[in-house]
Amino acid sequence: MTLFSLRIARALTFTLLFALTLAVGIWGTLAFAISGPENVFLRNSLSGLFGASSLICLIALTQPRWRWRALIAFAVVFMLTLVWWSSVKPSNDRNWQEGVAVLPWAKIEGDLVTVHNIRNIDYLSETDYTVNYYDKSFDLRKLEGVDVVTVHWMGPAIAHVFLSFAFAGDQHLAISIETRNQKGEGYSTLKGFFRQYELHYVVADERDVIRLRTNFRKNPPEDVYVYRARGMNGDGQRLFLEYLTQINKLKTTPAFYNTLTTNCTTNIWLNSRVNPDNLPLSWKILASGYLAEYLYENDRLETKGMSFAELQKQAWINPRAHAVDKADNFSQLIRMPAISR
């Protein structure tokens, strides 16, 4: 190796160590600040100490005499932090908000599936509502399709995505993967990285999860699109059963939501791996607002020969949802021909 090559290798190694130390420092500082002990003083102190130790390590990296000693010391601090981090456990026993207080579960007997605790909230406003639940049986052989529902509220790149399973007789069961919030707790994208929310599958009537977003959320308003997935057949049945498997698992073994890795869209993709022809992971899955376009590009949506722009216009259901409100045949009516925007 030439002297020049050796210098390049050392520079790259230094850059990598510096970037890694900086990333770990930011993560650990935020982890203690957000998920640390309940005592505010202790939480802030641990966050400050970790931040200070990472800063000292970064400075020491520029000094060859202290570089490796500082890295070893910081590695010890990081390992102790990981021991603490592993002690942060999810729970099903918290003071939950009413809408997520009751967990759904399913009994599977061959082709007959009975889903318990299907949510059907009666809304007066986004925050004023009565929570109702019911049980219902579904015949897997009568699964006719799977709809992909995307909800946009802050531009094209960001969307909440969930699935609705369509059975014969205009029966629809929506399953939305969300955070399970405690009373008085709102959602924070940043906190979602740090084990602050349990993962929750909302199993609900469409008049609940769709109508909430089209008719009641105003600040900001939300645009809802319903797309029919193409050619599901046996894939749809396997996907539905995989969803129910995960729902039953969460009832006994809670898990954390993660903003990047365990969210509404990545979990749809993870569940879809039960099928042999599932799509590869793409940035359009991580940037969830583009998921429908990704499915369109891979011939996974029923398009009727339309461009994606035309299909999206037809899939927009807000005017129909406003018009039909809480009609008994809500699911059928919102799928009628589109109203011009």
Side-chain angles (χ1 to χ4, degrees):
M1 181 179 288
T2 66
L3 182 60
F4 177 75
S5 298
L6 184 60
R7 288 176 177 174
I8 292 295
R10 286 176 176 173
L12 289 174
T13 301
F14 174 79
T15 302
L16 180 62
L17 286 173
F18 192 91
L20 184 61
T21 302
L22 179 62
V24 169
I26 293 172
W27 174 84
T29 302
L30 289 173
F32 278 119
I34 294 172
S35 301
E38 290 186 12
N39 182 281
V40 175
F41 176 78
L42 181 57
R43 182 170 69 245
N44 291 339
S45 297
L46 289 172
S47 177
L49 286 171
F50 192 93
S53 66
S54 61
L55 180 60
I56 291 170
C57 186
L58 287 171
I59 295 172
L61 284 176
T62 65
Q63 309 296 319
R65 180 181 176 184
W66 297 102
R67 181 174 299 161
W68 295 109
R69 296 178 186 177
L71 281 172
I72 291 171
F74 187 63
V76 172
V77 172
F78 180 53
M79 293 301 296
L80 292 174
T81 300
L82 289 181
V83 171
W84 160 73
W85 184 247
S86 67
S87 71
V88 180
K89 302 292 186 182
S91 173
N92 279 334
D93 185 20
R94 302 193 195 279
N95 188 21
W96 304 113
Q97 293 181 11
E98 277 190 90
V100 294
V102 177
L103 288 173
W105 62 280
K107 185 176 182 181
I108 304 170
E109 298 174 303
D111 290 323
L112 186 65
V113 173
T114 301
V115 183
H116 298 268
N117 300 328
I118 300 172
R119 200 182 75 182
N120 183 26
I121 291 180
D122 184 17
Y123 291 97
L124 295 177
S125 71
E126 182 181 353
T127 57
D128 184 7
Y129 53 80
T130 302
V131 184
N132 304 295
Y133 295 95
Y134 65 91
D135 303 337
K136 192 168 186 176
S137 295
F138 300 89
D139 188 335
L140 288 174
R141 294 166 297 184
K142 295 182 179 180
L143 180 63
E144 296 182 337
V146 179
D147 290 328
V148 180
V149 184
T150 68
V151 184
H152 295 255
W153 68 94
M154 55 180 299
I158 304 299
H160 176 62
V161 183
F162 60 92
L163 301 184
S164 185
F165 295 87
F167 292 85
D170 196 38
Q171 300 181 77
H172 296 263
L173 184 68
I175 306 181
S176 176
I177 301 171
E178 304 179 9
T179 58
R180 194 180 187 194
N181 290 15
Q182 300 178 60
K183 288 184 177 178
E185 182 179 49
Y187 176 73
S188 162
T189 300
L190 180 60
K191 287 184 177 181
F193 286 102
F194 294 98
R195 298 186 173 180
Q196 285 296 289
Y197 307 111
E198 274 75 12
L199 184 67
H200 184 57
Y201 281 59
V202 174
V203 180
D205 192 295
E206 287 189 338
R207 285 172 297 184
D208 178 334
V209 288
I210 290 181
R211 186 166 158 263
L212 165 64
R213 292 165 167 87
T214 55
N215 293 27
F216 293 101
R217 286 190 175 164
K218 308 296 184 183
N219 188 25
E222 299 184 354
D223 287 309
V224 180
Y225 302 82
V226 178
Y227 305 90
R228 174 55 58 94
R230 180 177 176 273
M232 291 301 290
N233 298 325
D235 287 356
Q237 294 179 10
R238 283 188 291 270
L239 181 58
F240 184 59
L241 287 173
E242 180 64 19
Y243 262 71
L244 298 184
T245 297
Q246 297 304 318
I247 288 166
N248 285 343
K249 183 177 179 181
L250 286 175
K251 193 173 189 300
T252 57
T253 310
F256 281 118
Y257 171 97
N258 183 279
T259 298
L260 181 63
T261 62
T262 314
N263 57 44
C264 65
T265 315
T266 55
N267 268 310
I268 291 175
W269 178 77
L270 289 170
N271 289 334
S272 72
R273 293 190 302 170
V274 71
N275 290 318
D277 60 344
N278 65 297
L279 292 175
L281 186 63
S282 164
W283 69 269
K284 288 187 176 181
I285 294 175
L286 300 178
S288 51
Y290 297 110
L291 177 64
E293 183 178 3
Y294 180 55
L295 295 173
Y296 177 89
E297 292 167 348
N298 286 273
D299 198 26
R300 299 303 177 92
L301 297 179
E302 291 188 1
T303 66
K304 300 177 183 178
M306 291 183 283
S307 67
F308 180 71
E310 293 169 329
L311 181 65
Q312 187 179 47
K313 184 177 181 179
Q314 184 186 78
W316 184 57
I317 64 161
N318 286 58
R320 283 163 277 169
H322 279 286
V324 304
D325 198 27
K326 58 180 180 180
D328 290 339
N329 56 342
F330 176 88
S331 294
Q332 179 185 12
L333 293 174
I334 63 171
R335 290 170 171 82
M336 298 293 284
I339 298 172
S340 297
R341 192 169 189 172

